Amino acid sequence: MSAHTAEPEGRIDYAKTLDMPTKRLILFGVLLGLFLSALDQTIVSTALPRITQELDGLSLYSWVTTAYLLTNTALVPIYGKLSDLYGRKPILMIGIVIFLIGSALCGLAGEPFLGNLFGGGMMQLVVFRGLQGVGAAALGSVAFAIIADLFEPVDRPRYQGLFGAVFGLSSVIGPLLGGFLTDQVSWRWVFYVNLPIGLIALAFIASKMPRLASGLKARVDWLGAFLILVFAVPLLLALTWGADGNYAWTSPQILGLFGLSAASLVAFLFVESRHESPILPLTLFKNPTFAWGALARFMIGAGFLGAILFLSLYLVQVQGVSATAAGTATIPLTVGLIIGAIGSGQIASRMGRYKPLMLIGLITAGLGFFALSTLNADSSYTSVVIRMVLLGLGLGPALPLYTTALQLAVKPWEIGVATSAGQFFQQMGSTIGTAIFGAILTAGVSSNLATQFAAQAASNQGTVATTLQKISDDIRSGNAPTGDRNATPENPEDVKARFATLRENITKAIQTGDQQALTAVKNDAFIKSLPEDARKQLTGIPAGGVPAQVKASFAQTYATVEQAVNSGDAAQVQALAANPQLPQALRDNLAKIPAPALASPQARAQILAGIKQGLDQGEAQAEQQVTEQALSGALSGVNDGEKITLASARAAKVAFADTISSIYRYSIIVAALAFLATLMMPNLEIPRRAKGERAQPAHVEI
């Protein structure tokens, strides 16, 4: 393998030849481009429920994110190498143009004039999101390398910190802007909003940025580029599908994808070792800063994304934050992240060393993970905020300082490929870490749910205990339905209020037959969840309520008696007296009627008047008694339902809190491994400018 060890002929040191106003204009354009890429990862999630509803594509819901992730991650190292060969400016501009075309097409997905292209509106969106990812990969990989081109080593950390702050800022603005545009304008503007920002960035870059070429002259390693795609895409697909439960981890599909990825990796390493200008020079791994830094970034990627994803899940499932607001609920973490990123960059530039700050940051992140591992179902939101800020302060330095370290450790003409490779390892770490933590979450929640439902059953009695124990047994056997993890659970106050309303409606329906109350009972979520027989008992209330039913029954009884008495037939009256369905007192009175009395109309009238009086008295007592019995039975079932619902909510809350706490315990190990890898990195000093040295204010390309 040949390597470029000598400085390429004609290479320009842009850090010394560009004036500061030009650098700032270029930096503004690059930051805008990077903001677009970062924003697109958060703004779309808020709009996805509306998009899937309008485009009728729930089955492709996760693919809208997956398609973007696949193309973005896989192409990062390729763009880094291309920017070394052809200059940052053309590659960055190509990336922005592709990203903007993808954004415009995403906004047009499902429009009538596109017809049945790719099979429908939702599939169109998935394909166009993949195209967006193709462009976004250039924005992310090239932007960080440009810092090294524009600024001398001593200035780089403070500007890398700005780039870290952009990612933090986008995670706050994205959900807010996405929700506003979706609710007030249209979900299509979630994508269209990229166009004006992107065009401004493009204008700054086109007019003010020089080519930023490394001076390398070599053939592009197209075979290596192809093989890294065939390695990364199947691996990411397998991890995503396995974590989401689309396929079992041992299914032929997942194993086949892993096998294809492994074979491609072997072929990639073979090709890279023989190409004159490889996509990822294997000689970089002989550089201890690059090798250990790549490993540390892989670990940090796993811990960072896991922290965001599972913290959001904790806030939804345990703290009761709405799924829409979960993104903004992590603002304290973002604030800590921005402070950590900018602050560490500033301090590193003044100290002239980065390793101590990286180690301090990882220790702080480890403490943050430890604090999060102590979360439980009853942790206050204030205590969660403190933990989030601590973790953000720890993870913040990772964003600028590892990039700075990699760039200082390689030759200036290798900065593009080294920077993008470091970013590639971090993104792969995020994907692999999310898949592993996701599998831990799925297994842990099931186990903890079964345990918590059994505990709730032990603390209750009767039907409630039996029902809760059955749920626990169903979970252990795998027969329990899986709920939506992203759905906001009801808090106990809401449950109690809902059941109080249900009791009022059932009482009205039974006592008066109120149709509005009966309709509300039939539509209640708890009533709908009951087995059919139990549901019919609570909803099969007659018109007018139970008293009307009793009144109608007594009226029917009197009509039957009246017919028999007025017939004058003693045998018919005696047969009625033997009917066990009639009240005993009425049967006794009918049996005592002498046959001659039935022959006289006046006597029959007197007999019927007496029977009517007795029935009227019995009717009032029966109405009260039957109504109380019906109401008692119905309310007993509702009270049991309330206890079961409250116990289930508590069991789920505790199970989720315990499981997510256990994930953060694993994250402590990840942070420790990142710390050990960082400890192995050389403690290099950041080169400083000589006293009084200034940059030359002109440049040949401008």
Side-chain angles (χ1 to χ4, degrees):
M1 175 182 66
S2 60
H4 295 279
T5 54
E7 181 170 335
E9 188 178 338
R11 181 183 171 272
I12 301 165
D13 188 347
Y14 295 94
K16 291 185 177 178
T17 55
L18 283 174
D19 57 53
M20 188 52 73
T22 302
K23 288 180 181 180
R24 285 176 181 150
L25 286 173
I26 295 170
L27 185 65
F28 179 73
V30 174
L31 283 170
L32 271 183
L34 189 67
F35 179 71
L36 279 179
S37 173
L39 185 69
D40 218 65
Q41 296 178 41
T42 56
I43 193 173
V44 177
S45 59
T46 316
L48 265 181
R50 181 78 57 85
I51 294 172
T52 49
Q53 183 181 8
E54 190 170 318
L55 298 183
D56 191 24
L58 187 60
S59 61
L60 295 171
Y61 184 97
S62 62
W63 268 102
V64 176
T65 303
T66 302
Y68 184 87
L69 174 74
L70 287 177
T71 53
N72 191 340
T73 303
L75 287 168
V76 160
I78 298 173
Y79 277 125
K81 183 63 179 182
L82 290 176
S83 74
D84 276 343
L85 293 177
Y86 298 113
R88 315 281 186 236
K89 180 176 181 176
I91 301 303
L92 183 60
M93 290 181 68
I94 289 170
I96 292 176
V97 169
I98 294 173
F99 182 82
L100 294 182
I101 292 172
S103 297
L105 290 173
C106 283
L108 294 172
E111 291 285 16
F113 72 87
L114 288 177
N116 206 35
L117 181 69
F118 303 126
M122 196 65 178
M123 184 54 80
Q124 290 166 12
L125 181 61
V126 169
V127 172
F128 298 149
R129 280 283 285 166
L131 182 62
Q132 258 193 320
V134 171
L139 297 178
S141 63
V142 178
F144 285 98
I146 287 174
I147 289 292
D149 293 324
L150 293 181
F151 300 100
E152 294 178 76
V154 69
D155 296 320
R156 289 175 195 168
R158 60 166 64 99
Y159 291 105
Q160 295 284 12
L162 289 178
F163 280 46
V166 163
F167 280 93
L169 194 63
S170 68
S171 67
V172 177
I173 294 176
L176 294 173
L177 184 59
F180 173 78
L181 291 173
T182 303
D183 293 336
Q184 304 300 326
V185 189
S186 165
W187 64 262
R188 298 183 185 279
W189 275 94
V190 166
F191 301 104
Y192 292 151
V193 74
N194 293 332
L195 301 179
I197 302 173
L199 290 173
I200 293 170
L202 203 58
F204 271 96
I205 292 165
S207 62
K208 296 296 180 183
M209 183 186 287
R211 186 162 165 253
L212 297 183
S214 67
L216 282 178
K217 300 288 186 290
R219 291 186 299 110
V220 178
D221 178 15
W222 293 116
L223 180 57
F226 171 75
L227 287 171
I228 201 168
L229 287 174
V230 181
F231 157 69
V233 172
L235 177 61
L236 293 170
L237 269 180
L239 292 168
T240 304
W241 281 345
D244 290 347
N246 298 80
Y247 298 98
W249 287 107
T250 54
S251 67
Q253 292 88 343
I254 299 295
L255 294 178
L257 288 169
F258 279 137
L260 176 60
S261 180
S264 300
L265 177 60
V266 172
F268 174 75
L269 294 175
F270 178 80
V271 169
E272 296 304 274
S273 66
R274 282 159 176 74
H275 198 278
E276 64 170 338
S277 182
I279 288 291
L280 180 59
L282 300 184
T283 51
L284 285 176
F285 290 96
K286 295 179 181 178
N287 183 322
T289 299
F290 179 87
W292 291 110
L295 178 60
R297 287 188 72 170
F298 181 89
M299 294 298 170
I300 289 166
F304 175 71
L305 194 60
I308 299 290
L309 290 177
F310 298 111
L311 193 52
S312 296
L313 193 59
Y314 173 85
L315 291 168
V316 170
Q317 294 291 340
V318 182
Q319 291 287 330
V321 175
S322 72
T324 306
T328 54
T330 56
I331 285 177
L333 174 65
T334 304
V335 170
L337 195 77
I338 293 172
I339 294 171
I342 295 177
S344 64
Q346 297 290 332
I347 295 170
S349 288
R350 286 172 170 77
M351 280 178 56
R353 292 193 181 273
Y354 49 79
K355 185 175 175 180
L357 292 170
M358 293 155 75
L359 294 173
I360 291 169
L362 288 170
I363 291 171
T364 307
L367 291 173
F369 282 129
F370 173 76
L372 287 168
S373 72
T374 63
L375 288 173
N376 57 50
D378 302 307
S379 297
S380 67
Y381 184 70
T382 304
S383 70
V384 179
V385 166
I386 294 170
R387 290 171 167 92
M388 284 195 279
V389 172
L390 182 64
L391 181 62
L393 288 171
L395 291 175
L399 295 169
L401 296 184
Y402 282 94
T403 301
T404 298
L406 288 182
Q407 291 174 346
L408 288 173
V410 299
K411 297 177 176 62
W413 51 93
E414 293 178 327
I415 280 174
V417 70
T419 303
S420 60
Q423 189 177 346
F424 176 73
F425 283 115
Q426 185 168 322
Q427 289 183 210
M428 291 297 287
S430 295
T431 307
I432 293 172
T434 302
I436 293 171
F437 287 147
I440 293 172
L441 178 74
T442 302
V445 165
S446 297
S447 174
N448 284 334
L449 274 175
T451 302
Q452 292 304 322
F453 270 102
Q456 291 294 328
S459 61
N460 282 279
Q461 299 176 351
T463 306
V464 176
T466 305
T467 304
L468 292 170
Q469 187 59 51
K470 183 179 183 307
I471 294 172
S472 174
D473 295 340
D474 286 345
I475 292 171
R476 290 190 193 281
S477 62
N479 296 324
T482 54
D484 181 4
R485 286 182 192 162
N486 294 315
T488 309
E490 279 187 295
N491 60 49
E493 291 73 23
D494 291 340
V495 171
K496 290 174 182 176
R498 181 160 63 83
F499 275 89
T501 302
L502 178 59
R503 278 189 282 269
E504 289 177 12
N505 287 326
I506 284 179
T507 302
K508 284 182 187 176
I510 288 175
Q511 289 180 342
T512 67
D514 186 302
Q515 282 302 307
Q516 190 174 354
L518 184 57
T519 301
V521 170
K522 290 179 179 177
N523 292 330
D524 183 82
F526 167 69
I527 300 297
K528 286 183 174 180
S529 69
L530 292 173
E532 188 174 354
D533 292 343
R535 188 167 64 249
K536 283 182 178 178
Q537 288 179 1
L538 288 170
T539 58
I541 300 168
V546 171
Q549 186 181 31
V550 172
K551 193 182 293 290
S553 175
F554 272 84
Q556 180 62 39
T557 300
Y558 178 74
T560 304
V561 171
E562 185 181 34
Q563 182 185 6
V565 171
N566 283 334
S567 70
D569 184 354
Q572 191 173 341
V573 172
Q574 290 305 313
L576 196 61
N579 187 345
Q581 293 182 347
L582 294 178
Q584 187 62 47
L586 176 59
R587 290 166 60 192
D588 292 343
N589 289 335
L590 290 173
K592 293 176 184 176
I593 298 173
L598 295 173
S600 167
Q602 291 84 359
R604 290 199 299 269
Q606 287 179 350
I607 291 169
L608 288 173
I611 289 173
K612 181 73 166 66
Q613 185 178 4
L615 284 174
D616 286 345
Q617 291 175 351
E619 180 182 323
Q621 293 176 352
E623 277 184 21
Q624 184 178 357
Q625 185 178 359
V626 173
T627 300
E628 286 178 355
Q629 287 177 347
L631 197 56
S632 174
L635 292 181
S636 175
V638 171
N639 291 338
D640 284 349
E642 182 179 16
K643 290 177 183 177
I644 292 168
T645 304
L646 287 169
S648 299
R650 178 65 185 176
K653 189 174 180 179
V654 174
F656 265 99
D658 289 351
T659 306
I660 291 170
S661 295
S662 72
I663 287 174
Y664 285 121
R665 285 194 284 277
Y666 288 111
S667 297
I668 298 171
I669 299 172
V670 172
L673 291 173
F675 179 86
L676 291 175
T678 305
L679 204 58
M680 300 300 291
M681 293 171 63
N683 187 18
L684 298 178
E685 188 173 352
I686 301 173
R688 293 178 175 275
R689 280 190 295 271
K691 191 171 182 181
E693 182 185 349
R694 294 188 179 183
Q696 299 170 27
H699 190 274
V700 291
E701 293 185 39
I702 299 178

